[in-house]
Amino acid sequence: MGPADFPSWFGASLYGGLGCAVLSALVIAGWALLRRRGLSGQVVGALLTCLLASALDTAPIVWAQDRLGVYGPSLSATEVATALAFTALCGWAAPLGAMIWYVLYAVPIGGYSLPRRNRALSAPLLANPGRQRPARPGGSPWGTLSANPPATDPHPIPLIHEVVLVGRDPGADLTLVDDRVSRYHAELRWENGSPWLIDLSSLNGTRINHLTVVGRSPLRNHDQLEFGNHQFQFEIPDSSDLPAGAPAEDPEPARVPEAETRKTAGISGSFGSNAPALALVWNDGAAQARRWTLSAPITTIGRDASCGVTLPDDSVSRLHAQITRQPSGYFIVDVESKNGVFLNGDQVTEPARLFSGDVLRLGDVILTVQEGTAGNPDAPAVPEGAAESADSASLRMRLAPRDTSKPRFAPPRLTPEKPADSDKS
């Protein structure tokens, strides 16, 4: 290549760099839209890198017109080398680097970061003998999974073997084509006559009834399971559905005793029935106070309609608190809500036991704890006037005056030294 060919070659590299920056930006945008990858900050950062690189690449174009086109071979080697290096960096390296980084490391859109924990469970082997061994005599299913909402095929998925592997890998028993599902995401197991779900330290986590599972957790009939963007309802077949000769089993298997409720968004533990029934009463000014009997082993409280106790108030988070029925009684825990949970005026920072007559405050909503009505969860509450009088007396004795100087949505547990997390409400 002679000196006369250098301007043409250099001009081609300049305009090729501009085309590279534009092409890289299109790839990044397409990867974000079609593959649903990348958080908003990652998308903006990658696109800004391409835009800035294309803007800086105009400087060598001006240099080529004003200097290279006029002086040509008389220019010093240092000046020409600098222009070449600047073109290679801004026109090619920066946009290509941003595109490659985004394609390889952008996280799934809508995914959330989980605290990094030790891998207590290694990645399962596809040769696990439990995946080939039926759990019940005759090959009858010990559970079924039904797509929620129903898919094109309305038939439930039978769970027959002792171990059912769920993941994105084609070799899994239940293969889910979803970027948010890990290659080996979770296992459904039948152990000692009880169904279990084991999260295999998946990237985006596994949920049961909208609560994150850490490690292993027992399964109950009608549980809602979430793997990435896929949702299923778990069902335990009735004894009448089993083939002739198969032993009938209890649809609600016994739970293995575990520790008391701990502060976590996940679920685990055993649930007894010895605790007396309790109910929550909300006197929101309607003609009749609302009442919820705590008859389920786990009762979620929040603004979302899927919660067991739905409180339509802006000061209540979508998933605000959780009440667990333990053999020793009922315990409430704050599920990292925005405005916190207060029991008799004291903020709940660890599982707290509930008794009849207690007063709960979730945001601006006041709930009183009363004795439940056995066998009638939907029994009407006491008359409005009586409930209001009892609540007023309890509030005067138990609740301190509210500090109105704080913003309504101020997170009560955050300190100035610790950055606030995103709103989970």
Side-chain angles (χ1 to χ4, degrees):
M1 181 181 67
D5 297 330
F6 179 77
S8 300
W9 174 81
F10 185 70
S13 65
L14 288 175
Y15 293 104
L18 288 177
C20 177
V22 173
L23 180 61
S24 299
L26 291 177
V27 171
I28 292 170
W31 196 258
L33 295 177
L34 300 180
R35 300 284 295 178
R36 296 186 57 81
R37 307 282 290 192
L39 302 177
S40 58
Q42 294 175 328
V43 176
V44 172
L47 292 178
L48 283 179
T49 300
C50 296
L51 179 61
L52 182 61
S54 62
L56 293 177
D57 200 33
T58 59
I61 295 178
V62 175
W63 176 85
Q65 294 176 351
D66 294 344
R67 299 280 297 171
L68 183 62
V70 176
Y71 299 101
S74 63
L75 295 175
S76 65
T78 303
E79 183 177 354
V80 175
T82 302
L84 288 174
F86 194 87
T87 302
L89 177 62
C90 296
W92 295 90
L96 284 177
M99 180 188 68
I100 295 174
W101 171 84
Y102 188 87
V103 170
L104 294 179
Y105 298 105
V107 300
I109 294 177
Y112 49 90
S113 298
L114 294 177
R116 186 175 297 273
R117 54 182 183 270
N118 296 328
R119 270 185 87 91
L121 299 167
S122 60
L125 298 177
L126 297 180
N128 188 336
R131 300 178 59 216
Q132 309 297 330
R133 188 166 50 238
R136 286 178 168 177
S140 60
W142 54 267
T144 61
L145 293 180
S146 301
N148 186 17
T152 306
D153 184 5
H155 298 91
I157 302 172
L159 306 177
I160 299 176
H161 298 96
E162 293 181 356
V163 178
V164 177
L165 176 61
V166 181
R168 197 178 68 248
D169 192 277
D173 301 306
L174 177 57
T175 303
L176 303 177
V177 183
D178 186 353
D179 286 339
R180 296 188 62 192
V181 176
S182 300
R183 185 182 178 189
Y184 302 124
H185 196 97
E187 284 183 347
L188 298 168
R189 291 196 176 192
W190 180 262
E191 293 182 354
N192 301 322
S194 299
W196 294 83
L197 185 146
I198 303 176
D199 179 70
L200 302 175
S201 298
S202 57
L203 177 63
N204 291 303
T206 305
R207 292 192 174 193
I208 299 181
N209 300 326
H210 308 294
L211 301 177
T212 303
V213 175
V214 177
R216 58 189 292 140
S217 175
L219 288 175
R220 299 170 54 251
N221 201 14
H222 309 302
D223 276 344
Q224 298 292 329
L225 311 183
E226 298 180 30
F227 309 100
N229 292 319
H230 296 266
Q231 299 183 8
F232 299 91
Q233 179 168 322
F234 173 75
E235 302 282 350
I236 299 178
D238 297 331
S239 58
S240 58
D241 297 335
L242 299 178
E249 300 190 33
D250 188 1
E252 291 288 343
R255 299 290 183 261
V256 179
E258 295 183 3
E260 288 285 357
T261 306
R262 55 193 174 85
K263 181 174 177 57
T264 176
I267 62 175
S268 64
S270 59
F271 312 104
S273 58
N274 298 327
L278 294 178
L280 298 180
V281 177
W282 180 25
N283 184 15
D284 59 344
Q288 189 175 15
R290 305 188 193 184
R291 179 187 180 94
W292 299 271
T293 300
L294 305 177
S295 56
I298 294 179
T299 302
T300 55
I301 307 175
R303 195 174 72 248
D304 194 89
S306 62
C307 294
V309 177
T310 303
L311 304 176
D313 190 279
D314 291 340
S315 63
V316 178
S317 300
R318 297 182 188 275
L319 182 58
H320 199 107
Q322 171 182 296
I323 296 179
T324 305
R325 185 175 184 177
Q326 300 284 354
S328 56
Y330 291 82
F331 292 82
I332 187 170
V333 64
D334 180 7
V335 191
E336 299 188 8
S337 61
K338 182 77 170 181
N339 290 314
V341 178
F342 294 84
L343 173 62
N344 301 328
D346 298 325
Q347 185 173 358
V348 175
T349 57
E350 58 185 11
R353 187 174 179 182
L354 297 177
F355 297 92
S356 178
D358 285 341
V359 178
L360 293 171
R361 175 160 66 84
L362 292 79
D364 291 336
V365 175
I366 302 297
L367 301 175
T368 57
V369 183
Q370 298 181 0
E371 293 184 359
T373 304
N376 188 9
D378 299 325
V382 294
E384 179 184 357
E388 184 176 0
S389 176
D391 291 351
S392 300
S394 298
L395 291 176
R396 286 196 301 270
M397 290 185 296
R398 300 176 182 272
L399 288 183
R402 187 179 180 188
D403 185 7
T404 58
S405 63
K406 297 181 179 179
R408 181 175 183 177
F409 299 100
R413 292 189 305 278
L414 299 179
T415 59
E417 293 77 16
K418 182 179 180 181
D421 294 331
S422 59
D423 185 9
K424 300 184 179 180
S425 60

